């Protein structure tokens, strides 16, 4: 694997390992069936990359969309139970089509279904990392999707864009390719007259003023908003992203001037913090006094119980929570070290007091600084 991030799209042909995310709209028909021809066209491009020596991890959506037709549903279901049912039906059909299409190129595939926790909880992360790297070593193309049949509303990502970014981090990919139904990021929704293609984004500030909508195609989720979130996760941890359509994928992988290239802006960082910053659903809030806000934001210290004035929500030790100032503005997100039933008795007390009154073990931080990410406040 290359140790240095790819500097531009012209280096794409030299990527050693890529994660490719394909959206539902590129694989299915509007009436909720798989489109084997379009699926095979994507596979042809990926097989060509493999033949050129690149390892490929595919993150494929389409399970829910592919279950719509066979179940006779009128449209993409909105309730969780029917989404789970549709995904369970569609996932089998999806992987069967992939298996056939890759086999035509002599390639073996593996289905890997992940939940959000597999990408960030330490033991699970290592487990998923080990399984995926072994599959790659064995020459297999892993096909990843969220485990929609068991993911509840609280824990699911719901969109594969952010899952793909976390998977890129998990497998140490050189680049993430987001394939969708538009050929690039535009300055506004592509249907709006005057919207122009953005060829390259080298810093997050260049996205100021770009109008992205959450409305995706009839079968997809998240629209461009979750793709921009995905781009932030990947680029901030040193992985560049190319966003284009499935139809332009071959040209993009050849390094041609198509799609949008997002340069890496940061260095590899903890996946837990990426997840906390961009993907975690928080379970509660801790209200900080002004001194604690300054300590956490300016001095980057851990959060101690003495600086917390109130607690909201129901959470367990290890759950993600928001840290808010007295006015309710979110200043950070963190993994809390105590459950919500224990926190009230700790508030306002120094760690020394807590050790003396409640015993050793109660002198630990409420949120350790290693488990904390600051949230950029809107100006
Ligand atoms: N600024 C923008 N540039 C490009 N596409 C945009 C923009 N804003 C919104 N979109 C919409 O996002 C859609 C892609 O999202 P989605 O349907 O969720 O794709 P997928 O199923 O591939 O994940 C495009 O069809 C496009 O209409
Ligand atoms: N896991 C879901 C993915 C939903 C999703 O992210 O869809 P899309 O916006 O088309 O990438 C499925 O397979 O239907």
């Amino acid at each position: 694997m290359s140790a240095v991030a790819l500097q531009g799209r012209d280096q794409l042909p030299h990527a050693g390992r890529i994660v490719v995310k394909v959206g539902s709209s590129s694989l299915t028909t509007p009436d909720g069936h798989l489109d084997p021809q379009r699926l095979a066209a994507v596979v042809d491009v990926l097989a060509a990359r493999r033949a050129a020596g690149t390892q490929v991890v595919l993150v494929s959506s389409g399970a829910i969309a592919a279950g719509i037709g066979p179940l006779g549903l009128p449209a993409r279901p909105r309730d969780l139970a029917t989404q789970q049912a549709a995904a369970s039906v569609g996932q089998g059909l999806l992987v069967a089509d992939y298996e056939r299409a890759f086999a035509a190129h002599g390639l073996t595939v593996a289905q890997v279904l992940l939940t959000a926790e597999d990408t960030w909880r330490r033991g699970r992360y290592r487990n998923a990392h080990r399984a995926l790297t072994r599959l790659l070593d064995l020459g297999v193309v892993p096909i990843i999707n969220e485990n929609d049949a068991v993911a509840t509303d609280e824990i699911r990502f719901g969109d594969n864009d952010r899952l793909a970014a976390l998977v890129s981090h998990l497998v140490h990919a050189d680049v993430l390719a987001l394939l969708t139904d538009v050929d690039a990021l535009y300055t506004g929704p592509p249907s709006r007259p005057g919207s122009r293609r953005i060829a390259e984004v080298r810093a997050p500030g260049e996205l100021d003023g770009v109008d992205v909508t959450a409305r995706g195609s009839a079968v997809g989720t998240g629209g461009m908003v979750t793709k921009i979130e995905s781009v932030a996760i990947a680029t901030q941890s040193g992985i560049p992203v190319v966003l284009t359509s499935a139809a332009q994928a071959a040209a993009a992988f050849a390094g041609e001037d198509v799609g949008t290239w997002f340069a890496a802006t940061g260095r590899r960082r903890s996946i837990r913090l990426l997840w906390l910053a961009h993907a975690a659903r928080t379970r509660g809030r801790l209200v900080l006094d002004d001194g604690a806000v300054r300590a956490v934001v300016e001095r980057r210290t851990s959060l101690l119980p003495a600086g917390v004035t109130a607690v909201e929500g129901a959470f367990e030790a290890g759950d993600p929570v928001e840290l808010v100032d007295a006015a309710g503005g979110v200043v950070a997100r963190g993994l809390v070290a105590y459950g919500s039933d224990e926190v009230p008795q700790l508030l306002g007390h120094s760690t020394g007091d807590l050790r003396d009154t409640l015993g050793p073990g109660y002198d630990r931080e409420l949120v350790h600084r290693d488990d904390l990410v600051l949230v950029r406040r809107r100006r």
Side-chain angles (χ1 to χ4, degrees):
M1 255 16 50
S2 54
V4 179
L6 305 181
Q7 296 302 311
R9 52 160 62 81
D10 56 317
Q11 295 176 358
L12 247 173
H14 309 299
R17 186 176 283 179
I18 57 176
V19 170
V20 180
K21 186 262 168 176
V22 189
S24 313
S25 54
S26 303
L27 302 168
T28 55
T29 57
D31 63 347
H33 289 277
L34 283 165
D35 184 335
Q37 265 107 42
R38 284 162 74 216
L39 184 143
V42 171
V43 169
D44 289 347
V45 175
L46 302 184
R49 280 307 326 150
R50 270 297 310 266
T54 307
Q55 291 181 328
V56 176
V57 176
L58 179 57
V59 176
S60 179
S61 302
I64 296 175
I68 296 172
L71 287 176
L73 301 172
R76 186 184 170 86
R78 286 171 181 269
D79 67 291
L80 180 63
T82 317
Q83 287 180 359
Q84 289 171 317
S88 306
V89 170
Q91 180 67 23
L93 299 168
L94 183 65
V95 171
D97 274 12
Y98 274 127
E99 199 274 327
R100 250 193 311 276
F102 275 106
H105 296 277
L107 291 167
T108 302
V109 301
Q111 170 185 266
V112 181
L113 300 179
L114 298 177
T115 59
E117 283 191 308
D118 294 317
T119 66
W120 67 271
R121 262 195 208 279
R122 196 165 287 128
R124 301 247 210 136
Y125 171 88
R126 279 212 208 96
N127 196 35
H129 171 80
R130 193 168 43 227
L132 288 170
T133 43
R134 186 73 188 120
L135 283 168
L136 290 171
D137 290 346
L138 289 167
V140 173
V141 179
I143 303 177
I144 296 175
N145 198 354
E146 184 163 15
N147 196 346
D148 295 306
V150 298
T152 61
D153 261 339
E154 288 76 38
I155 62 158
R156 72 207 290 241
F157 284 113
D159 68 90
N160 274 346
D161 296 317
R162 290 176 304 171
L163 175 64
L166 292 169
V167 166
S168 304
H169 187 287
L170 191 87
V171 302
H172 297 245
D174 294 319
V175 63
L176 166 64
L178 296 175
L179 304 184
T180 180
D181 62 347
V182 276
D183 66 331
L185 175 69
Y186 281 72
T187 51
S191 53
R192 186 190 295 163
S195 291
R196 283 174 294 106
R197 169 190 163 222
I198 299 172
E200 196 165 287
V201 178
R202 299 218 73 91
E206 292 174 26
L207 288 173
D208 292 349
V210 174
D211 185 3
V212 291
T213 63
R215 187 144 25 92
S217 57
V219 291
T221 59
M224 223 14 92
V225 172
T226 50
K227 288 183 214 330
I228 295 302
E229 273 288 327
S230 168
V231 165
I233 298 172
T235 55
Q236 283 173 23
S237 62
I239 302 169
V241 180
V242 62
L243 184 152
T244 192
S245 62
Q248 299 269 33
F253 292 144
E256 290 175 27
D257 183 16
V258 298
T260 304
W261 174 266
F262 299 87
T265 55
R267 302 239 305 269
R268 188 171 173 84
R269 56 192 280 220
S270 147
I271 199 163
R272 253 167 358 123
L273 299 186
L274 286 169
W275 167 83
L276 249 184
H278 299 280
R281 298 229 181 128
T282 49
R283 304 282 162 82
R285 311 178 114 203
L286 303 173
V287 183
L288 279 56
D289 65 22
D290 292 348
V293 170
R294 276 197 303 276
V296 165
V297 174
E298 289 162 23
R299 301 203 305 279
R300 306 287 173 102
T301 65
S302 298
L303 177 65
L304 300 175
V308 177
T309 58
V311 56
E312 296 164 16
F315 48 82
E316 290 174 20
D319 277 348
V321 295
E322 285 178 334
L323 278 53
V324 303
D325 60 22
V330 181
V331 296
R333 292 170 148 224
L335 300 177
V336 63
Y338 299 85
S340 50
D341 49 342
E342 282 190 301
V343 176
Q345 59 178 331
L346 313 176
L347 300 190
H349 293 289
S350 72
T351 43
D353 276 358
L354 292 169
R355 189 178 47 240
D356 295 344
T357 52
L358 297 174
Y362 279 92
D363 54 359
R364 63 188 195 277
E365 303 82 0
L366 201 48
V367 182
H368 193 276
R369 63 177 178 190
D370 292 347
D371 292 334
L372 215 150
V373 284
L374 299 184
V375 171
R376 221 188 307 154
R377 283 197 267 186
R378 290 179 198 286
R379 273 161 285 159

